[in-house]
Amino acid sequence: MVEVENNIPEISIIMPVYNSETFLYLAVESVKRQTMKEWELLLIDDGSSDASGRLCDAFAKEDARIRVFHQENQGITKTRNRGIKEARGEFITFIDNDDELVEDIMEKSCSYAKKYRADIVKFGYRVEEDFPNGAKEVRDNCIKQQLIITREQCGEEYQNIYRSGYFNMIWNGIYRRTLFEDKKLMFDESVIMGYEDWIFNNQMYLIPERQVIMDYVGYIHYQRYQHSTSKKFHPNQIEANVKAAEAEYHLLRRMNQEYGTTFTWVLRATDYLIDILFLFERRGCNYGYRDKKKALKWVRSQKVFRIFHKKEQLGNLPKQRKWMAVLFDRQWYMILLILADLYYKFILWKKLRK
């Protein structure tokens, strides 16, 4: 059994666990292989009905740095919040129960945090995605040059961060634990599945005094068609998408006011609209046309999507986005859904051709 040399770990690694007996070993082993040894791994069994809970207990018996918590099923946001409350490390990070950490990423990111006195260090990630027909795609999301961003630079660097995709996820970074304690910042527990990372990162962005964006891939994210929650549909995802849109809307408004930036909301609003339309394409969505129409009508009534009612704003959109905004605003939902379905299938066809 591996003993703990220091009662206070340098970093707390939070792993929510739910019905992942097939992949859990690889995820835990990627933590145990870390070149840094001063970590604790919090395995939070969220009411698993398979052998995941027993596996967690077995891992803890082998390594005293692993702590296990069992609870009734509560969902990803409440489970992560449980981990934050139990964490003891100077930094906190997250890993999904079917993903892997690159073996030196904890050492590198903690080193960068100390070197640059950063509250957040974000790193690149690799996505390995598989499709129903057996095809696979591997792609890296990683910036070409490292960024060190002070709070005063948040406005001017936002576009670079947005394009990088770094702030869509929570697991590709480490966070100083005091950020959670001082700002009472936690995951939105009304969100059951999806977009909780987007909401959290938009709320977190202007809080740190300094953050580092590494030009290094430190995380491997698997999108397995049959297992990954990112492939599944849940009705709560529509409301969660709107909450994420609201969080970014307020972030952009604040940066425009405080930093003199000129971000326009209409373009980002169409991104969220496309995400909602693509939710209907996910596995497990049994919505008929009436259900989709009802959902889209509710989305249209939300404040952040009323931008489409302002015709003068649509001139800021590229042509390929403008047709979506016009159809959505005029409530021509049938045509919008058909075209979105064709658009989604076209994107998927392009991926499979690679």
Side-chain angles (χ1 to χ4, degrees):
M1 179 175 179
V2 177
E3 300 292 341
V4 180
E5 296 182 2
N6 190 334
N7 290 329
I8 306 299
E10 190 160 354
I11 188 163
S12 298
I13 303 169
I14 298 170
M15 183 188 297
V17 177
Y18 181 71
N19 289 353
S20 188
E21 61 181 4
T22 305
F23 309 106
L24 187 58
Y25 176 81
L26 292 176
V28 172
E29 281 299 307
S30 77
V31 175
K32 295 173 69 174
R33 286 197 305 267
Q34 290 299 301
T35 54
M36 169 194 281
K37 304 304 179 185
E38 299 79 22
W39 49 260
E40 67 170 354
L41 173 61
L42 308 184
L43 297 176
I44 306 175
D45 172 29
D46 189 32
S48 297
S49 58
D50 65 0
S52 296
R54 294 192 297 275
L55 287 172
C56 289
D57 292 333
F59 292 134
K61 287 181 180 179
E62 295 175 357
D63 194 323
R65 295 171 297 180
I66 299 175
R67 301 163 62 203
V68 178
F69 305 88
H70 298 283
Q71 63 184 32
E72 293 184 2
N73 183 252
Q74 298 182 43
I76 186 68
T77 51
K78 288 185 178 181
T79 303
R80 283 177 175 165
N81 285 343
R82 171 79 183 272
I84 292 168
K85 292 173 184 175
E86 299 287 353
R88 302 176 301 188
E90 182 180 358
F91 297 95
I92 288 175
T93 192
F94 303 86
I95 177 175
D96 285 353
N97 61 188
D98 58 347
D99 289 344
E100 296 181 54
L101 296 172
V102 173
E103 64 182 13
D104 61 351
I105 190 56
M106 293 297 97
E107 183 176 7
K108 279 182 177 292
S109 54
C110 286
S111 173
Y112 275 52
K114 294 175 180 178
K115 179 179 180 180
Y116 297 107
R117 292 177 289 113
D119 296 314
I120 295 177
V121 177
K122 300 286 278 186
F123 38 83
Y125 55 93
R126 175 167 298 145
V127 176
E128 298 193 11
E129 182 176 9
D130 60 29
F131 300 93
N133 65 352
K136 295 183 181 293
E137 181 185 51
V138 178
R139 57 187 182 273
D140 285 353
N141 279 12
C142 189
I143 61 173
K144 295 181 179 179
Q145 186 173 357
Q146 175 179 296
L147 292 174
I148 302 170
I149 304 172
T150 63
R151 186 180 294 169
E152 291 74 22
Q153 297 170 312
C154 283
E156 63 187 80
E157 294 293 351
Y158 182 76
Q159 288 286 17
N160 290 328
I161 291 173
Y162 160 67
R163 292 192 192 99
S164 73
Y166 272 43
F167 276 71
N168 292 349
M169 314 301 180
I170 190 68
W171 32 247
N172 64 318
I174 68 169
Y175 306 79
R176 196 175 296 276
R177 183 160 58 90
T178 52
L179 291 175
F180 299 90
E181 296 173 347
D182 296 346
K183 302 298 180 180
K184 308 298 181 186
L185 189 59
M186 305 289 273
F187 289 93
D188 185 338
E189 294 188 352
S190 69
V191 175
I192 298 172
M193 181 187 295
Y195 299 101
E196 73 281 352
D197 295 5
W198 295 21
I199 298 168
F200 182 89
N201 283 322
N202 282 321
Q203 293 173 339
M204 177 73 86
Y205 182 58
L206 294 180
I207 293 177
E209 292 290 340
R210 185 178 289 104
Q211 46 193 314
V212 176
I213 317 297
M214 294 173 61
D215 54 345
Y216 185 78
V217 172
Y219 191 98
I220 303 172
H221 175 56
Y222 295 98
Q223 291 187 356
R224 301 176 177 92
Y225 181 75
Q226 291 296 330
H227 185 262
S228 177
T229 56
S230 65
K231 301 284 189 179
K232 299 176 183 177
F233 174 80
H234 191 287
N236 178 258
Q237 291 167 334
I238 298 171
E239 182 182 351
N241 176 290
V242 173
K243 287 190 173 188
E246 289 171 345
E248 186 170 1
Y249 171 76
H250 291 302
L251 172 62
L252 296 184
R253 282 194 64 187
R254 184 177 169 189
M255 286 193 292
N256 285 346
Q257 293 168 357
E258 296 184 13
Y259 298 101
T261 53
T262 56
F263 296 120
T264 55
W265 172 243
V266 66
L267 182 59
R268 290 295 292 128
T270 57
D271 288 339
Y272 283 97
L273 174 58
I274 291 170
D275 281 327
I276 290 173
L277 293 168
F278 282 4
L279 286 177
F280 298 137
E281 304 288 342
R282 288 191 178 184
R283 180 165 51 88
C285 180
N286 58 1
Y287 274 24
Y289 170 67
R290 288 185 180 179
D291 298 315
K292 294 176 183 177
K293 178 181 177 181
K294 182 180 178 181
L296 290 174
K297 192 171 183 179
W298 175 79
V299 170
R300 184 179 181 274
S301 70
Q302 303 305 300
K303 180 180 178 181
V304 288
F305 289 101
R306 291 177 193 163
I307 189 75
F308 296 130
H309 307 344
K310 301 177 181 179
K311 309 303 179 188
E312 68 277 6
Q313 292 288 338
L314 302 186
N316 296 320
L317 287 174
K319 290 181 180 179
Q320 65 269 30
R321 299 291 184 98
K322 192 177 295 184
W323 64 264
M324 278 194 162
V326 171
L327 291 172
F328 180 65
D329 183 48
R330 294 182 182 177
Q331 302 184 69
W332 292 349
Y333 298 135
M334 177 66 82
I335 300 174
L336 178 62
L337 288 164
I338 291 172
L339 292 175
D341 177 63
L342 293 173
Y343 183 35
Y344 175 83
K345 288 176 179 174
F346 173 70
I347 292 174
L348 187 60
W349 174 76
K350 285 180 66 177
K351 280 188 174 183
L352 296 180
R353 282 193 65 197
K354 291 181 179 180

